[in-house]
Amino acid sequence: MADIIINGTSYPLKFGMKFLREVNKRNAVPVEGMKGVTENVGMKWMIAELMDNSVEALADAIFTANKTESPRLTLPEIDEFLDSEETDIDGVFNDVIGFLETANATKRLVQDMKDMVAKKKAEMELEDEII
């Protein structure tokens, strides 16, 4: 369990199986070679969006992770927090990604995504050297 402090109040965030299931079911893609079969990939999409610094994905991650906890945050409260000039947005991104990196339900997915990004960067650098 993790916490985020907004306006002096500590809000618990839980990046567990309920979080994973809810986020995962938001996006599905067809499984290649298996007609009519889909794979839920919402968590992979969210991780990618967080790695790309999507503030909307950040707000969604915070809202969803707090959904089953108390006290509860509303989306307007999260939006106001993220919009505030006093908020260290880079720090919030780092905290949320860090929470995902340590939660049992999500840590392997985060590591797999980081590995995939590193591999793609290496391939692109190699292509640039050849050109």
Side-chain angles (χ1 to χ4, degrees), residues 10-64:
S10 180
Y11 294 93
L13 304 177
K14 190 167 185 179
F15 295 93
M17 288 302 298
K18 288 180 183 178
F19 172 84
L20 176 64
R21 283 189 184 104
E22 179 164 337
V23 172
N24 237 359
K25 68 183 177 184
R26 295 177 185 172
N27 300 87
V29 295
V31 175
E32 191 174 326
M34 300 182 79
K35 187 175 181 168
V37 177
T38 60
E39 176 186 8
N40 290 335
V41 295
M43 191 69 237
K44 291 178 183 177
W45 284 57
M46 179 179 276
I47 293 166
E49 288 178 325
L50 290 168
M51 292 172 75
D52 282 343
N53 298 311
S54 166
V55 179
E56 188 174 6
L58 181 62
D60 186 35
I62 293 168
F63 179 76
T64 306

Side-chain angles (χ1 to χ4, degrees), residues 86-106:
E86 296 175 14
T87 298
D88 173 12
I89 195 77
D90 295 324
V92 178
F93 270 107
N94 289 335
D95 289 347
V96 169
I97 291 170
F99 299 153
L100 290 167
E101 287 175 325
T102 59
N104 283 340
T106 57

